Amino acid sequence: MAVVKNLLGLTGALSVQIGALWHDSMTLENALHKFCKHIFVLTGDEQFPFSFRGSGAAVKIAGRNFLFCCRHQIGDCRPDQIAIRLSHENRIMSASTMRWPAIARGDEDDDSGDFVVFEFLLENYPAPNLTSEFFPLQEERIWPTGSVRLPFMIFGYPTERQLIDYETSRLQARSLEVPGVYDGGTSSPHLHRIKMQRDKPFDADGLSGGPIFYVGGAPGNYFAGFAGIPARGSATSDYLLFIAAHHLIDIALDDRTYSKS
């Protein structure tokens, strides 16, 4: 679906900037799909070598390359067990380090702390063009800067659309994009609500960790920005809680604490 063009009611093509590149509004969602990563956990088991763990958001900021997802997706995995598939070839690469926010005593159930940040040191991998796998985010394009009145674009790999058949070596990984409308904040400054505008019900399990993008700017200077990642949803509700991008980025760029390699 061409969310941007349809909702602006334009008769001609609209250009939206992703980083330094311009994209036609009709292909914007396709261009953003590559930054929603399907997360593999490498188990080390010969019979069952990996498992799917839902969605992640690949973002580049300040010259560094990060993957955001939720801690409840990955459990106690090490960074070298977390891998993402490259968009331009049938290969995966594993993370180098990870960090997460400190959880204050009594706040263990706070969804705004339920995330983990993986960093990928691209010089450790021989494959070319790896930097293009990460959404090129600039500080001035982090939500809510310059937001226009359009739905958010929520990307993810719902669990019900994934399949691993070890007997036949068949793998199926299908993503989706669904519009969502901002529905206000919560008691946490980093946690917000979003209402999905889905045509038919589906189980939101697996959307956790996927990127939420928005369109900002003005006519002639529209851009795609990063809003955050879903933290929790359900099959029976159209509402998601999402962790704001500023909070994610602040933890990602803070090398002083909470790190594990």
Side-chain angles (χ1 to χ4, degrees), residues 8 27 33 42 47 50 53 59 64 74 92 94 104 120 122 133 136 158 176 178 191 207 223-224 232 239 261:
L8 286 179
T27 62
H33 259 291
L42 307 177
Q47 186 176 4
F50 50 79
R53 296 295 179 91
V59 178
R64 299 168 65 180
I74 63 166
I92 60 175
S94 58
F120 289 79
L122 302 189
E133 297 289 326
L176 61 72
V178 61
L191 198 66
L207 289 186
F223 64 84
R232 180 157 49 91
Y239 290 89
S261 59

PDB file of all heavy atoms in Angstrom, residues 8 27 33 42 47 50 53 59 64 74 92 94 104 120 122 133 136 158 176 178 191 207 223-224 232 239 261:
ATOM      1  N   LEU A   8      -2.200  11.774   1.480  1.00  0.00           N
ATOM      2  CA  LEU A   8      -2.044  13.163   1.081  1.00  0.00           C
ATOM      3  C   LEU A   8      -2.951  13.520  -0.092  1.00  0.00           C
ATOM      4  O   LEU A   8      -3.121  14.682  -0.430  1.00  0.00           O
ATOM      5  CB  LEU A   8      -0.582  13.458   0.709  1.00  0.00           C
ATOM      6  CG  LEU A   8       0.394  13.566   1.868  1.00  0.00           C
ATOM      7  CD1 LEU A   8       1.795  13.836   1.362  1.00  0.00           C
ATOM      8  CD2 LEU A   8      -0.027  14.657   2.837  1.00  0.00           C
ATOM      9  N   THR A  27       6.918   3.824  -3.768  1.00  0.00           N
ATOM     10  CA  THR A  27       7.863   2.750  -3.456  1.00  0.00           C
ATOM     11  C   THR A  27       8.517   2.950  -2.080  1.00  0.00           C
ATOM     12  O   THR A  27       9.437   2.210  -1.730  1.00  0.00           O
ATOM     13  CB  THR A  27       8.968   2.676  -4.522  1.00  0.00           C
ATOM     14  OG1 THR A  27       9.719   3.906  -4.540  1.00  0.00           O
ATOM     15  CG2 THR A  27       8.383   2.421  -5.902  1.00  0.00           C
ATOM     16  N   HIS A  33      11.346  -1.436   3.950  1.00  0.00           N
ATOM     17  CA  HIS A  33      11.249  -2.835   4.393  1.00  0.00           C
ATOM     18  C   HIS A  33      12.616  -3.433   4.725  1.00  0.00           C
ATOM     19  O   HIS A  33      12.735  -4.254   5.635  1.00  0.00           O
ATOM     20  CB  HIS A  33      10.572  -3.692   3.323  1.00  0.00           C
ATOM     21  CG  HIS A  33       9.135  -3.985   3.608  1.00  0.00           C
ATOM     22  ND1 HIS A  33       8.720  -4.802   4.634  1.00  0.00           N
ATOM     23  CD2 HIS A  33       8.004  -3.550   2.999  1.00  0.00           C
ATOM     24  CE1 HIS A  33       7.400  -4.869   4.645  1.00  0.00           C
ATOM     25  NE2 HIS A  33       6.936  -4.110   3.671  1.00  0.00           N
ATOM     26  N   LEU A  42      21.219 -18.268  16.688  1.00  0.00           N
ATOM     27  CA  LEU A  42      22.042 -19.414  16.333  1.00  0.00           C
ATOM     28  C   LEU A  42      22.181 -20.287  17.572  1.00  0.00           C
ATOM     29  O   LEU A  42      22.802 -19.902  18.559  1.00  0.00           O
ATOM     30  CB  LEU A  42      23.410 -18.947  15.840  1.00  0.00           C
ATOM     31  CG  LEU A  42      23.367 -17.899  14.710  1.00  0.00           C
ATOM     32  CD1 LEU A  42      24.772 -17.453  14.340  1.00  0.00           C
ATOM     33  CD2 LEU A  42      22.630 -18.441  13.494  1.00  0.00           C
ATOM     34  N   GLN A  47      20.930 -30.386  14.850  1.00  0.00           N
ATOM     35  CA  GLN A  47      19.619 -30.739  14.307  1.00  0.00           C
ATOM     36  C   GLN A  47      18.710 -29.520  14.154  1.00  0.00           C
ATOM     37  O   GLN A  47      17.964 -29.396  13.181  1.00  0.00           O
ATOM     38  CB  GLN A  47      18.939 -31.767  15.213  1.00  0.00           C
ATOM     39  CG  GLN A  47      17.623 -32.300  14.633  1.00  0.00           C
ATOM     40  CD  GLN A  47      17.017 -33.379  15.503  1.00  0.00           C
ATOM     41  OE1 GLN A  47      17.528 -33.698  16.588  1.00  0.00           O
ATOM     42  NE2 GLN A  47      15.917 -33.963  15.046  1.00  0.00           N
ATOM     43  N   PHE A  50      18.986 -23.045  14.311  1.00  0.00           N
ATOM     44  CA  PHE A  50      18.562 -21.686  14.610  1.00  0.00           C
ATOM     45  C   PHE A  50      17.065 -21.638  14.881  1.00  0.00           C
ATOM     46  O   PHE A  50      16.329 -22.577  14.574  1.00  0.00           O
ATOM     47  CB  PHE A  50      18.921 -20.719  13.482  1.00  0.00           C
ATOM     48  CG  PHE A  50      18.494 -21.181  12.112  1.00  0.00           C
ATOM     49  CD1 PHE A  50      17.181 -21.037  11.703  1.00  0.00           C
ATOM     50  CD2 PHE A  50      19.399 -21.746  11.246  1.00  0.00           C
ATOM     51  CE1 PHE A  50      16.780 -21.468  10.444  1.00  0.00           C
ATOM     52  CE2 PHE A  50      19.003 -22.188   9.991  1.00  0.00           C
ATOM     53  CZ  PHE A  50      17.697 -22.051   9.595  1.00  0.00           C
ATOM     54  N   ARG A  53      13.165 -15.293  16.046  1.00  0.00           N
ATOM     55  CA  ARG A  53      12.795 -14.547  17.244  1.00  0.00           C
ATOM     56  C   ARG A  53      12.122 -13.224  16.925  1.00  0.00           C
ATOM     57  O   ARG A  53      12.228 -12.270  17.680  1.00  0.00           O
ATOM     58  CB  ARG A  53      14.043 -14.312  18.106  1.00  0.00           C
ATOM     59  CG  ARG A  53      14.672 -15.579  18.640  1.00  0.00           C
ATOM     60  CD  ARG A  53      13.761 -16.319  19.612  1.00  0.00           C
ATOM     61  NE  ARG A  53      14.388 -17.535  20.089  1.00  0.00           N
ATOM     62  CZ  ARG A  53      15.138 -17.608  21.181  1.00  0.00           C
ATOM     63  NH1 ARG A  53      15.355 -16.522  21.902  1.00  0.00           N
ATOM     64  NH2 ARG A  53      15.668 -18.755  21.564  1.00  0.00           N
ATOM     65  N   VAL A  59      19.385   0.409  12.371  1.00  0.00           N
ATOM     66  CA  VAL A  59      19.501   1.866  12.289  1.00  0.00           C
ATOM     67  C   VAL A  59      20.966   2.270  12.376  1.00  0.00           C
ATOM     68  O   VAL A  59      21.715   1.757  13.214  1.00  0.00           O
ATOM     69  CB  VAL A  59      18.709   2.554  13.424  1.00  0.00           C
ATOM     70  CG1 VAL A  59      18.877   4.063  13.365  1.00  0.00           C
ATOM     71  CG2 VAL A  59      17.230   2.187  13.344  1.00  0.00           C
ATOM     72  N   ARG A  64      27.598   4.688  13.350  1.00  0.00           N
ATOM     73  CA  ARG A  64      27.578   3.372  13.973  1.00  0.00           C
ATOM     74  C   ARG A  64      26.300   2.635  13.588  1.00  0.00           C
ATOM     75  O   ARG A  64      25.269   3.259  13.299  1.00  0.00           O
ATOM     76  CB  ARG A  64      27.711   3.500  15.490  1.00  0.00           C
ATOM     77  CG  ARG A  64      29.024   4.155  15.906  1.00  0.00           C
ATOM     78  CD  ARG A  64      29.052   4.539  17.368  1.00  0.00           C
ATOM     79  NE  ARG A  64      28.988   3.370  18.242  1.00  0.00           N
ATOM     80  CZ  ARG A  64      28.994   3.453  19.575  1.00  0.00           C
ATOM     81  NH1 ARG A  64      29.049   4.644  20.166  1.00  0.00           N
ATOM     82  NH2 ARG A  64      28.949   2.355  20.308  1.00  0.00           N
ATOM     83  N   ILE A  74      14.676 -12.383  23.008  1.00  0.00           N
ATOM     84  CA  ILE A  74      15.937 -13.113  22.864  1.00  0.00           C
ATOM     85  C   ILE A  74      16.411 -13.816  24.131  1.00  0.00           C
ATOM     86  O   ILE A  74      17.346 -14.617  24.081  1.00  0.00           O
ATOM     87  CB  ILE A  74      17.056 -12.170  22.389  1.00  0.00           C
ATOM     88  CG1 ILE A  74      17.312 -11.087  23.439  1.00  0.00           C
ATOM     89  CG2 ILE A  74      16.710 -11.558  21.040  1.00  0.00           C
ATOM     90  CD1 ILE A  74      18.589 -10.336  23.216  1.00  0.00           C
ATOM     91  N   ILE A  92      23.826 -14.382   6.429  1.00  0.00           N
ATOM     92  CA  ILE A  92      23.492 -13.754   7.692  1.00  0.00           C
ATOM     93  C   ILE A  92      24.771 -13.251   8.350  1.00  0.00           C
ATOM     94  O   ILE A  92      25.869 -13.723   8.035  1.00  0.00           O
ATOM     95  CB  ILE A  92      22.756 -14.714   8.646  1.00  0.00           C
ATOM     96  CG1 ILE A  92      23.620 -15.943   8.971  1.00  0.00           C
ATOM     97  CG2 ILE A  92      21.417 -15.134   8.053  1.00  0.00           C
ATOM     98  CD1 ILE A  92      22.992 -16.857  10.002  1.00  0.00           C
ATOM     99  N   SER A  94      26.253 -11.986  12.370  1.00  0.00           N
ATOM    100  CA  SER A  94      25.941 -11.944  13.795  1.00  0.00           C
ATOM    101  C   SER A  94      26.436 -10.642  14.407  1.00  0.00           C
ATOM    102  O   SER A  94      27.308  -9.957  13.872  1.00  0.00           O
ATOM    103  CB  SER A  94      26.568 -13.139  14.518  1.00  0.00           C
ATOM    104  OG  SER A  94      27.972 -13.159  14.325  1.00  0.00           O
ATOM    105  N   ALA A 104      15.471  -0.003  37.251  1.00  0.00           N
ATOM    106  CA  ALA A 104      15.448   0.329  38.673  1.00  0.00           C
ATOM    107  C   ALA A 104      14.574  -0.656  39.435  1.00  0.00           C
ATOM    108  O   ALA A 104      13.614  -1.212  38.888  1.00  0.00           O
ATOM    109  CB  ALA A 104      14.920   1.757  38.851  1.00  0.00           C
ATOM    110  N   PHE A 120      26.777  -3.736  15.287  1.00  0.00           N
ATOM    111  CA  PHE A 120      27.476  -4.505  14.272  1.00  0.00           C
ATOM    112  C   PHE A 120      28.699  -3.708  13.823  1.00  0.00           C
ATOM    113  O   PHE A 120      28.566  -2.586  13.328  1.00  0.00           O
ATOM    114  CB  PHE A 120      26.554  -4.784  13.082  1.00  0.00           C
ATOM    115  CG  PHE A 120      25.465  -5.781  13.381  1.00  0.00           C
ATOM    116  CD1 PHE A 120      24.331  -5.401  14.085  1.00  0.00           C
ATOM    117  CD2 PHE A 120      25.582  -7.101  12.978  1.00  0.00           C
ATOM    118  CE1 PHE A 120      23.334  -6.309  14.372  1.00  0.00           C
ATOM    119  CE2 PHE A 120      24.585  -8.023  13.257  1.00  0.00           C
ATOM    120  CZ  PHE A 120      23.460  -7.624  13.954  1.00  0.00           C
ATOM    121  N   LEU A 122      31.056  -3.348  11.189  1.00  0.00           N
ATOM    122  CA  LEU A 122      31.029  -3.819   9.809  1.00  0.00           C
ATOM    123  C   LEU A 122      32.403  -4.190   9.275  1.00  0.00           C
ATOM    124  O   LEU A 122      32.509  -4.974   8.326  1.00  0.00           O
ATOM    125  CB  LEU A 122      30.379  -2.760   8.912  1.00  0.00           C
ATOM    126  CG  LEU A 122      28.946  -2.353   9.299  1.00  0.00           C
ATOM    127  CD1 LEU A 122      28.332  -1.484   8.225  1.00  0.00           C
ATOM    128  CD2 LEU A 122      28.070  -3.577   9.559  1.00  0.00           C
ATOM    129  N   GLU A 133      22.448  -1.720   4.835  1.00  0.00           N
ATOM    130  CA  GLU A 133      21.490  -2.562   5.548  1.00  0.00           C
ATOM    131  C   GLU A 133      20.860  -1.823   6.729  1.00  0.00           C
ATOM    132  O   GLU A 133      19.925  -2.328   7.350  1.00  0.00           O
ATOM    133  CB  GLU A 133      22.178  -3.826   6.069  1.00  0.00           C
ATOM    134  CG  GLU A 133      22.741  -4.734   4.994  1.00  0.00           C
ATOM    135  CD  GLU A 133      21.660  -5.438   4.197  1.00  0.00           C
ATOM    136  OE1 GLU A 133      20.603  -5.759   4.781  1.00  0.00           O
ATOM    137  OE2 GLU A 133      21.860  -5.639   2.992  1.00  0.00           O
ATOM    138  N   PRO A 136      19.635   5.093   7.560  1.00  0.00           N
ATOM    139  CA  PRO A 136      20.526   6.227   7.845  1.00  0.00           C
ATOM    140  C   PRO A 136      19.788   7.349   8.568  1.00  0.00           C
ATOM    141  O   PRO A 136      19.155   8.204   7.950  1.00  0.00           O
ATOM    142  CB  PRO A 136      20.982   6.657   6.440  1.00  0.00           C
ATOM    143  CG  PRO A 136      19.833   6.278   5.550  1.00  0.00           C
ATOM    144  CD  PRO A 136      19.216   5.039   6.147  1.00  0.00           C
ATOM    145  N   PRO A 158       5.415 -11.089  11.775  1.00  0.00           N
ATOM    146  CA  PRO A 158       4.518 -11.779  12.703  1.00  0.00           C
ATOM    147  C   PRO A 158       4.839 -13.276  12.766  1.00  0.00           C
ATOM    148  O   PRO A 158       5.116 -13.914  11.749  1.00  0.00           O
ATOM    149  CB  PRO A 158       3.137 -11.548  12.088  1.00  0.00           C
ATOM    150  CG  PRO A 158       3.292 -10.345  11.232  1.00  0.00           C
ATOM    151  CD  PRO A 158       4.688 -10.398  10.704  1.00  0.00           C
ATOM    152  N   LEU A 176       5.393  -7.869   7.034  1.00  0.00           N
ATOM    153  CA  LEU A 176       4.265  -7.038   6.636  1.00  0.00           C
ATOM    154  C   LEU A 176       4.515  -5.608   7.088  1.00  0.00           C
ATOM    155  O   LEU A 176       5.402  -5.325   7.877  1.00  0.00           O
ATOM    156  CB  LEU A 176       2.943  -7.567   7.196  1.00  0.00           C
ATOM    157  CG  LEU A 176       2.717  -7.665   8.710  1.00  0.00           C
ATOM    158  CD1 LEU A 176       2.527  -6.317   9.382  1.00  0.00           C
ATOM    159  CD2 LEU A 176       1.477  -8.503   8.979  1.00  0.00           C
ATOM    160  N   VAL A 178       2.002  -2.280   8.316  1.00  0.00           N
ATOM    161  CA  VAL A 178       0.638  -1.862   8.635  1.00  0.00           C
ATOM    162  C   VAL A 178       0.676  -0.423   9.135  1.00  0.00           C
ATOM    163  O   VAL A 178       1.581  -0.048   9.885  1.00  0.00           O
ATOM    164  CB  VAL A 178      -0.004  -2.805   9.688  1.00  0.00           C
ATOM    165  CG1 VAL A 178       0.779  -2.796  10.987  1.00  0.00           C
ATOM    166  CG2 VAL A 178      -1.455  -2.440   9.946  1.00  0.00           C
ATOM    167  N   LEU A 191       7.476   5.615  26.721  1.00  0.00           N
ATOM    168  CA  LEU A 191       6.549   4.608  26.210  1.00  0.00           C
ATOM    169  C   LEU A 191       5.277   5.284  25.720  1.00  0.00           C
ATOM    170  O   LEU A 191       4.689   6.119  26.423  1.00  0.00           O
ATOM    171  CB  LEU A 191       6.225   3.598  27.317  1.00  0.00           C
ATOM    172  CG  LEU A 191       5.625   2.262  26.887  1.00  0.00           C
ATOM    173  CD1 LEU A 191       6.627   1.462  26.074  1.00  0.00           C
ATOM    174  CD2 LEU A 191       5.193   1.462  28.123  1.00  0.00           C
ATOM    175  N   LEU A 207       5.737  -8.782  16.120  1.00  0.00           N
ATOM    176  CA  LEU A 207       5.978  -7.401  15.706  1.00  0.00           C
ATOM    177  C   LEU A 207       6.929  -6.682  16.662  1.00  0.00           C
ATOM    178  O   LEU A 207       7.532  -5.669  16.291  1.00  0.00           O
ATOM    179  CB  LEU A 207       4.665  -6.620  15.622  1.00  0.00           C
ATOM    180  CG  LEU A 207       3.704  -6.958  14.490  1.00  0.00           C
ATOM    181  CD1 LEU A 207       2.543  -5.979  14.482  1.00  0.00           C
ATOM    182  CD2 LEU A 207       4.402  -6.949  13.136  1.00  0.00           C
ATOM    183  N   PHE A 223      10.756  13.774   4.486  1.00  0.00           N
ATOM    184  CA  PHE A 223      11.758  12.763   4.820  1.00  0.00           C
ATOM    185  C   PHE A 223      11.121  11.652   5.642  1.00  0.00           C
ATOM    186  O   PHE A 223      10.067  11.842   6.268  1.00  0.00           O
ATOM    187  CB  PHE A 223      12.913  13.389   5.614  1.00  0.00           C
ATOM    188  CG  PHE A 223      12.517  13.949   6.962  1.00  0.00           C
ATOM    189  CD1 PHE A 223      12.432  13.132   8.082  1.00  0.00           C
ATOM    190  CD2 PHE A 223      12.235  15.300   7.110  1.00  0.00           C
ATOM    191  CE1 PHE A 223      12.062  13.646   9.325  1.00  0.00           C
ATOM    192  CE2 PHE A 223      11.867  15.821   8.348  1.00  0.00           C
ATOM    193  CZ  PHE A 223      11.778  14.987   9.463  1.00  0.00           C
ATOM    194  N   ALA A 224      11.750  10.487   5.629  1.00  0.00           N
ATOM    195  CA  ALA A 224      11.347   9.374   6.487  1.00  0.00           C
ATOM    196  C   ALA A 224      12.207   9.406   7.737  1.00  0.00           C
ATOM    197  O   ALA A 224      13.436   9.503   7.660  1.00  0.00           O
ATOM    198  CB  ALA A 224      11.522   8.040   5.760  1.00  0.00           C
ATOM    199  N   ARG A 232       4.967  -4.252  22.833  1.00  0.00           N
ATOM    200  CA  ARG A 232       3.973  -5.252  23.219  1.00  0.00           C
ATOM    201  C   ARG A 232       2.698  -5.043  22.419  1.00  0.00           C
ATOM    202  O   ARG A 232       2.311  -3.920  22.126  1.00  0.00           O
ATOM    203  CB  ARG A 232       3.693  -5.147  24.718  1.00  0.00           C
ATOM    204  CG  ARG A 232       2.676  -6.114  25.257  1.00  0.00           C
ATOM    205  CD  ARG A 232       2.854  -6.337  26.761  1.00  0.00           C
ATOM    206  NE  ARG A 232       2.969  -5.094  27.504  1.00  0.00           N
ATOM    207  CZ  ARG A 232       1.926  -4.440  28.036  1.00  0.00           C
ATOM    208  NH1 ARG A 232       0.698  -4.893  27.848  1.00  0.00           N
ATOM    209  NH2 ARG A 232       2.116  -3.335  28.735  1.00  0.00           N
ATOM    210  N   TYR A 239      -4.146  -2.076  19.513  1.00  0.00           N
ATOM    211  CA  TYR A 239      -3.198  -1.152  20.119  1.00  0.00           C
ATOM    212  C   TYR A 239      -1.857  -1.819  20.411  1.00  0.00           C
ATOM    213  O   TYR A 239      -1.797  -2.980  20.818  1.00  0.00           O
ATOM    214  CB  TYR A 239      -3.770  -0.572  21.415  1.00  0.00           C
ATOM    215  CG  TYR A 239      -4.918   0.370  21.174  1.00  0.00           C
ATOM    216  CD1 TYR A 239      -6.225  -0.109  21.102  1.00  0.00           C
ATOM    217  CD2 TYR A 239      -4.705   1.736  20.982  1.00  0.00           C
ATOM    218  CE1 TYR A 239      -7.289   0.746  20.859  1.00  0.00           C
ATOM    219  CE2 TYR A 239      -5.770   2.603  20.746  1.00  0.00           C
ATOM    220  CZ  TYR A 239      -7.046   2.106  20.677  1.00  0.00           C
ATOM    221  OH  TYR A 239      -8.098   2.949  20.427  1.00  0.00           O
ATOM    222  N   SER A 261      29.695  -8.297  25.556  1.00  0.00           N
ATOM    223  CA  SER A 261      30.210  -8.701  24.255  1.00  0.00           C
ATOM    224  C   SER A 261      30.509 -10.183  24.249  1.00  0.00           C
ATOM    225  O   SER A 261      30.359 -10.852  25.270  1.00  0.00           O
ATOM    226  CB  SER A 261      31.484  -7.909  23.915  1.00  0.00           C
ATOM    227  OG  SER A 261      32.454  -8.122  24.899  1.00  0.00           O
TER     228      SER A 261
END
